[in-house]
Amino acid sequence: MRTRLLAALTALASLAAPLTAVPARAATASPGCDPIDPAACLLPFPNDWFTVPATTPTGRRVNLDPTATPRNLAGKNIDPAAWNAADGFSPGSMLLARVPGLDLAATGAAPVTDIGRSLDRDAPIVLLDLDTGERVPYWAELDANAPEARRALIVRPARNLRDGHHHAVALRDLRDAAGAPIAPGEAFTRVLGGTLPEDDPLAARQRSLRPVLRDLRHHGVAASGLYLAWDFTVASTASTTGRLTHMRDDALATLGGGSPSFTVTSVVDRTPTEDPQIAREITGELRVPNYLTAPGGPPGSTLRLGADGLPTASGEVRAAFVCVVPRSAMDHPARASLYGHGLLGSPNEVRARNVRAMAGEHGFVFCATRWSGMADEDIPYVAGVFADLSRFPAVPDRLQQGMIAFLYLARALAHPGGLSADPAFRAPSGRPVYDRRQGVVFDGNSQGGIAGGALMAVATDVRRGVLGVPGMNYSTLLNRSRDFAPFQAVLDRAYPDKLDQQLILAMLQMLWDRGEADGYAAHMTGDPLPGTPRHDVLMHVAFGDQQVATVAAEVEARTIGARAHTPVVAPGRSPDVRPFWGLRALPWWPYPGSAVVLWDSGAAPPPVTNTPPVTGPDSHEDPRADPAARLQKAVFLKYGLVVDVCGGRACTAAPA
């Protein structure tokens, strides 16, 4: 996989234009810009200035101007058509503005190491849910990858914002490195002043902001000292999740209560010498309804949408699956589990050493299919996306198609006429190698933990799942992951302006939400989506993970209401004032519910900036390789109980 990825990226980079400076675009360059932050057209972001009234659940519809979006070196703006179908912005959206000379330490803004400060009465940055009146916790950072002249202020919610809610942002009492106050820009100063005449270019912006300023004042944020303020609306649940839940319901309805059709293509029995843990490997294909525009749904395909804006099926996709059967299942029925593979991987990851160990030690039949959209077959397309981001909508669209393959695989495992009835899944005695009556569970790692969070929110045949080294919100993850480096090189060539890059990440998240945990986290455990049972998940997080940032898992855990194993980490290991801030401790053992456990294998603490770790060994593989962690996973998947395997201490794992 890495060889193919590097080859695709090298070929793409050789065709890219050489890096050249891109002049800053003034906010007056397009009628779709917001004049109150002139550093870039779409700042501040997200922003209801970029929406229009509409007959939608939120009463708004995104309306990005085609000339206002970031453009690549070929001069092509990102086509906003797919974004403009949404009725609001991402529930995990980072908040972006440009504040020249800002020093966050001198200002007293809450850093990632002390999120609790964001809720102080006099906090210089206020994120307010206008529908509930609640302040939302966050951390603030300056883009550590950018030169000062194009450095964004990034405010990241510490738990996801509520679907469909209206929010206000206020930046106040900001300071430079010398501690001197930073005055607001000319446009915002005029908006804060007296009523402007109708023919003034800022009159409309002033009218739109006055209700926001009034709401902020009502909640104790006066106009005095304001540097900038704006409002935005989070997309509704239907806008973010409606396409996938419609596809799920439609696809399952076509089965008429039966099992999906499948073909077993190979059965390989292993001797104990060949593999002491796995007795049999089975490969096959599922026939899954195709909701994508191209026959067979290849990379680059987008969803086929009907007049109602919902996906419609035409033809089918052949979804490959791979299953591993533990040696113990030949004598005693195992438990059936889906397995979710990692970044740009394939179902063959189910053959990995840690998966075979989990199957052999604890009696699981693991079956995997592809996370289409971000699988091995998508590598060339995904690499090309970062040179022309108008092509991006195909990635989350195919991710949703891939979810249907997982749901069909779960149904095939659960149904009496499904896989358990096929001779390939029978022991020599004629008995099925797994007991479908025990139900189907899920175990995924890395991308399997990220996309697996979305799967757990929509699954009907799966009630429990383990999310291994998970996180959510790619707009947070990418800058913090060493895996993004080759894609970053392509992005740097095509969109070299660092301020544009942060806007790009925020835009991409709006669509990525439809195929990863960020858009579904609020419904993963409590508040289930329509037609969906409640679920429980166990999150296994790696301290100092160089591929999936620990902080992104913390945001997910807060959003789903997971209880935390305590002590979280040994004293002195974490730079945080309070590790796992905002998470309640597990109240007792064994615990029947969702939980998060941090596994420490001695890796260096993560950076406190939006940059990837670069020193020491990577802990990403360590939790799944640890026998105690696998035991905890097995008990949870089989019985729904979180047990203490760490002896009342912080959990540690041996380096893999």
Side-chain angles (χ1 to χ4, degrees):
M1 187 273 284
R2 288 188 179 275
T3 301
R4 292 179 61 198
L5 173 60
L6 289 173
L9 290 170
T10 300
L12 185 66
S14 69
L15 298 174
L19 194 79
T20 59
V22 174
R25 285 193 289 161
T28 56
S30 163
C33 302
D34 188 344
I36 64 172
D37 189 345
C41 192
L42 291 184
L43 291 180
F45 195 89
N47 189 341
D48 270 355
W49 185 248
F50 309 128
T51 67
V52 292
T55 306
T56 63
T58 65
R60 312 295 302 175
R61 181 177 59 78
V62 175
N63 188 39
L64 300 175
D65 189 290
T67 65
T69 58
R71 60 174 179 257
N72 61 15
L73 283 184
K76 181 181 179 182
N77 292 85
I78 299 172
D79 180 357
W83 285 264
N84 287 346
D87 64 6
F89 299 91
S90 170
S93 184
M94 54 181 174
L95 317 178
L96 296 171
R98 166 78 183 131
V99 186
L102 176 63
D103 187 291
L104 290 175
T107 296
V112 68
T113 55
D114 195 3
I115 290 170
R117 282 168 51 191
S118 67
L119 300 180
D120 289 352
R121 183 180 181 86
D122 61 349
I125 300 171
V126 176
L127 175 53
L128 179 66
D129 185 325
L130 292 173
D131 292 335
T132 65
E134 296 175 319
R135 298 261 293 269
V136 180
Y138 61 82
W139 76 91
E141 58 193 16
L142 296 173
D143 183 8
N145 306 287
E148 199 286 328
R150 303 301 286 166
R151 185 170 294 153
L153 166 64
I154 307 170
V155 180
R156 301 189 191 273
R159 60 168 169 74
N160 269 14
L161 308 170
R162 299 186 188 218
D163 294 355
H165 280 218
H166 186 205
H167 293 78
V169 187
L171 311 181
R172 59 181 179 175
D173 301 327
L174 305 185
R175 306 274 170 171
D176 63 18
I182 299 176
E186 178 185 355
F188 191 69
T189 298
R190 294 186 62 218
V191 166
L192 285 178
T195 301
L196 299 170
E198 283 300 314
D199 61 351
D200 191 293
L202 290 172
R205 193 64 180 111
Q206 185 183 63
R207 285 195 304 273
S208 69
L209 272 177
R210 281 191 164 173
V212 181
L213 297 171
R214 183 174 60 247
D215 288 337
L216 286 168
R217 187 165 57 249
H218 176 72
H219 288 91
V221 182
S224 175
L226 275 182
Y227 177 85
L228 200 63
W230 73 96
D231 66 323
F232 66 95
T233 300
V234 175
S236 67
T237 302
S239 180
T240 301
T241 69
R243 292 181 179 184
L244 180 53
T245 54
H246 170 79
M247 292 163 65
R248 175 199 67 186
D249 294 344
D250 182 69
L252 293 178
T254 64
L255 297 175
S259 169
S261 297
F262 64 90
T263 301
V264 171
T265 56
S266 73
V267 178
V268 178
D269 288 317
R270 304 288 187 191
T271 67
T273 302
E274 292 173 320
D275 193 322
Q277 296 162 319
I278 300 302
R280 181 177 295 169
E281 295 179 1
I282 305 163
T283 63
E285 289 183 336
L286 290 162
R287 290 185 280 282
V288 180
N290 180 23
Y291 292 90
L292 298 168
T293 50
S301 305
T302 54
L303 289 174
R304 177 186 290 104
L305 302 179
D308 58 0
L310 294 173
T312 60
S314 177
E316 65 182 23
V317 171
R318 298 294 181 100
F321 67 85
V322 181
C323 300
V324 292
V325 179
R327 201 157 295 285
S328 62
M330 296 303 174
D331 298 317
H332 307 285
R335 185 69 175 264
S337 179
L338 300 176
Y339 181 77
H341 67 72
L343 179 64
L344 298 170
S346 78
N348 289 327
E349 189 179 307
V350 79
R351 298 185 173 108
R353 181 186 304 173
N354 69 89
V355 184
R356 299 200 323 269
M358 179 77 175
E361 292 165 1
H362 300 292
F364 285 91
V365 169
F366 283 110
C367 291
T369 186
R370 275 184 174 82
W371 294 117
S372 296
M374 293 184 71
D376 53 352
E377 61 192 10
D378 296 285
I379 290 172
Y381 186 85
V382 171
V385 159
F386 287 97
D388 179 4
L389 287 156
S390 294
R391 303 173 65 197
F392 177 74
V395 174
D397 280 7
R398 268 179 48 85
L399 274 169
Q400 292 169 84
Q401 175 70 44
M403 294 286 175
I404 304 304
F406 271 90
L407 295 172
Y408 259 44
L409 183 54
R411 179 59 58 90
L413 285 165
H415 196 277
L419 295 176
S420 66
D422 191 274
F425 290 85
R426 297 275 172 161
S429 65
R431 174 192 47 74
V433 295
Y434 69 90
D435 185 353
R436 64 169 190 82
R437 296 169 300 178
Q438 295 180 3
V440 182
V441 294
F442 173 81
D443 188 9
N445 287 294
S446 194
Q447 183 181 280
I450 298 168
L455 180 68
M456 288 305 301
V458 300
T460 53
D461 291 301
V462 178
R463 301 294 183 92
R464 290 193 293 273
V466 171
L467 306 180
V469 285
M472 68 180 192
N473 194 325
Y474 281 104
S475 69
T476 299
L477 286 167
L478 294 187
N479 282 163
R480 288 174 153 85
S481 175
R482 71 174 194 180
D483 290 340
F484 189 57
F487 301 96
Q488 182 69 54
V490 179
L491 186 65
D492 283 340
R493 283 189 170 272
Y495 301 87
D497 182 7
K498 290 296 183 179
L499 200 51
D500 273 355
Q501 288 186 13
Q502 292 304 323
L503 282 165
I504 285 165
L505 294 180
M507 284 183 63
L508 298 189
Q509 193 56 49
M510 294 170 62
L511 301 188
W512 239 325
D513 280 347
R514 296 172 182 166
E516 66 119 318
D518 192 68
Y520 297 82
H523 312 284
M524 193 188 303
T525 53
D527 190 22
L529 293 165
T532 311
R534 292 178 64 92
H535 300 90
D536 289 319
V537 299
L538 172 62
M539 299 174 62
H540 270 191
V541 181
F543 182 79
D545 195 326
Q546 296 184 7
Q547 298 179 55
V548 181
T550 305
V551 69
E554 293 179 44
V555 176
E556 183 173 357
R558 292 186 198 98
T559 303
I560 71 172
R563 294 295 191 101
H565 172 95
T566 55
V568 173
V569 67
R573 285 289 290 149
S574 172
D576 294 350
V577 171
R578 181 181 170 190
F580 276 17
W581 177 91
L583 289 170
R584 293 182 295 168
L586 284 162
W588 58 77
W589 303 102
Y591 178 71
S594 297
V596 57
V597 181
L598 183 69
W599 290 87
D600 185 357
S601 55
V608 297
T609 54
N610 64 324
T611 54
V614 293
T615 60
D618 184 11
S619 58
H620 186 67
E621 304 277 347
D622 297 345
R624 72 190 93 168
D626 189 85
R630 291 198 295 265
L631 172 60
Q632 187 179 60
K633 293 200 310 181
V635 173
F636 178 80
L637 291 173
K638 289 181 177 180
Y639 309 111
L641 298 173
V642 183
V643 295
D644 181 15
V645 295
C646 304
R649 298 181 295 274
C651 290
T652 58

